[in-house]
Amino acid sequence: MIYQNAMVFGPDFRFHKGGFAVEGGRFSRVLTVGEAEGTDLGGLYVVPGFIDVHNHGNSGKDFSDGDDEGLKTLARYLAKNGVTSFAPASVTLPESQLKTAYESAARFAKAAPAGCAVLRGIHMEGPFFSEKKKGAQNGAYLQNPNYEMFLRLNEAAEGLIKIADVAPELPGAIEYIEKVSKICAVSIAHTDANYDQSKAAIAAGVTHITHLFNAMPSFLHRAPGVVGAAAESPWVIAELICDGQHVHESVVRAAFSMFGADRLCLISDALSCCGMPKGEYELGGQKIILDGTVARLADAPDTLAGSANNLFGIFRLALSFGIPAEAAVRMASETPARALGVADEVGSITNGKRADFLVLNGDFSLNRVYLAGSALTEN
């Protein structure tokens, strides 16, 4: 199949007028204007399918529930909303419950059901977190870093853990980082670490920061903390919940200036209440209340539990906050693909990669979703 007359987001992270060909579910040729006849896309934008590296759920379903049908439901919702690949995030729970969820992820990844976003890995968020910065993580299940537990869970997941979170100030954290970083990306998260502790963690192997600014010390001129340590380490990629509530839009622009599109991942941090009406839901055994597009703990209403927006909605907000379109597209596609270690398969419109792409209208609203070169029948 050949597609022509589009503004195609190229591997140089710029839009170019032209087209592309898809064969066997993969991009086979990127075409110049008038090079071949094909489906006319009417000058619309074409971008790689978006990749959410931090997503707990939607449609009333939570990945950590370990429900096979629930995982399929949430992956179908993601695809419908322009997220073609994802790494579901677990929460702080007992090992037995995490094992059930991870086994479900492994089954889903092998089955690869039609019409669903592709599960590219697991984001292990918890349980190795600081009590002081636990946020909406369930404090009853927090523990110190445990490498053997990580190995057991990764075995249950059949090697799918791609990002593993840890608070680097906890006992044994540096040794944990040194070992786990040889298997997957290690991320600083839910931490009270200072600048020196964060630098030590980065030196030990950390390459990722979970929801920058949230659940960590503030970035202060005499105490730069995690943010300062990460900003000056050019190999570290940071997530950003760009919803205007977890992070103020001014700070979104500041983070973009500090890190750039090649080091910032837009994430949703969406909970089971995403795509659902206002009301009461659950996260890791705790009640949460959805009001609008943000959820809070029921017994601590000042504590944000997570987002109720999908990644495409986060992308649109980033544009409204002044992030350039080409940068925002990269932050939702190529950068997260690198963070997950799957940039050789997805994340850009490049010959040989899986043809997951989005057709966007002139205002960057979603027009159509394609998975492996086939249009979703329901959008």
Side-chain angles (χ1 to χ4, degrees):
M1 177 71 73
I2 293 176
Y3 298 89
Q4 263 291 10
N5 188 25
M7 295 299 296
V8 181
F9 191 75
D12 61 350
F13 316 113
R14 297 288 183 269
F15 285 107
H16 302 277
K17 189 170 184 179
F20 53 93
V22 175
E23 296 178 11
R26 296 186 175 271
F27 297 113
S28 62
R29 284 180 294 155
V30 176
L31 309 171
T32 58
V33 177
E35 185 178 336
E37 295 295 328
T39 299
D40 190 333
L41 292 178
L44 298 180
Y45 294 102
V46 174
V47 303
F50 287 176
I51 303 169
D52 197 348
V53 304
H54 192 147
N55 182 292
H56 295 282
N58 59 65
S59 310
K61 308 298 182 181
D62 191 311
F63 164 61
S64 294
D65 291 340
D67 175 58
D68 289 12
E69 285 303 311
L71 186 52
K72 187 183 297 184
T73 296
L74 72 86
R76 188 175 294 116
Y77 169 91
L78 291 176
K80 179 180 173 181
N81 287 279
V83 180
T84 58
S85 294
F86 73 118
S90 55
V91 294
T92 297
L93 287 168
E95 182 178 347
S96 60
Q97 289 180 249
L98 293 175
K99 180 175 181 287
T100 297
Y102 288 14
E103 289 171 341
S104 175
R107 288 191 294 270
F108 179 90
K110 285 188 288 189
C116 292
V118 177
L119 194 151
R120 298 286 176 185
I122 292 171
H123 185 148
M124 184 179 172
E125 189 182 13
F128 311 135
F129 290 155
S130 161
E131 171 68 30
K132 292 181 180 178
K133 295 292 184 180
K134 67 184 184 210
Q137 301 287 324
N138 195 325
Y141 306 122
L142 294 175
Q143 59 177 285
N144 289 330
N146 183 330
Y147 179 62
E148 296 304 319
M149 177 179 169
F150 167 85
L151 290 179
R152 290 192 296 270
L153 287 172
N154 200 36
E155 182 179 7
E158 301 184 19
L160 277 174
I161 299 178
K162 300 300 182 184
I163 301 174
D165 291 357
V166 67
E169 73 274 22
L170 295 178
I174 295 302
E175 182 181 4
Y176 176 85
I177 293 166
E178 290 172 343
K179 291 180 177 179
V180 175
S181 62
K182 294 179 172 61
I183 300 171
C184 69
V186 179
S187 185
I188 294 176
H190 290 273
T191 177
D192 197 39
N194 60 30
Y195 171 82
D196 290 334
Q197 291 168 322
S198 301
K199 288 291 285 187
I202 291 169
V206 160
T207 57
H208 197 88
I209 307 295
T210 295
H211 44 51
L212 188 70
F213 298 110
N214 297 119
M216 62 184 61
S218 298
F219 177 53
L220 303 174
H221 65 295
R222 291 193 181 93
V226 177
V227 178
E232 65 187 21
S233 304
W235 58 92
V236 173
I237 291 174
E239 303 172 357
L240 196 64
I241 311 173
C242 186
D243 64 355
Q245 299 185 74
H246 283 80
V247 180
H248 190 279
E249 65 172 273
S250 176
V251 179
V252 169
R253 293 188 288 270
F256 178 69
S257 296
M258 293 170 69
F259 286 82
D262 61 326
R263 297 181 54 209
L264 275 182
C265 275
L266 294 180
I267 63 164
S268 69
D269 197 12
L271 306 182
S272 62
C273 54
C274 177
M276 300 293 286
K278 294 180 181 180
E280 186 177 288
Y281 298 88
E282 187 175 293
L283 175 69
Q286 302 176 103
K287 290 182 180 179
I288 57 174
I289 303 296
L290 170 64
D291 184 11
T293 57
V294 68
R296 302 176 185 273
L297 287 181
D299 60 357
D302 290 336
T303 300
L304 292 172
S307 165
N309 205 343
N310 59 60
L311 183 59
F312 195 85
I314 295 289
F315 162 75
R316 296 292 304 280
L317 284 169
L319 298 179
S320 74
F321 296 160
I323 303 302
E326 291 168 329
V329 170
R330 185 177 186 182
M331 290 157 63
S333 57
E334 190 269 347
T335 305
R338 282 189 290 109
L340 285 180
V342 295
D344 59 342
E345 175 70 7
V346 289
S348 64
I349 297 174
T350 307
N351 292 351
K353 293 189 181 181
R354 179 176 150 116
D356 294 339
F357 62 95
L358 314 178
V359 178
L360 308 183
N361 299 312
D363 63 354
F364 292 98
S365 59
L366 187 59
N367 181 288
R368 209 170 310 140
V369 178
Y370 287 79
L371 292 173
S374 296
L376 286 183
T377 56
E378 181 186 359
N379 283 311

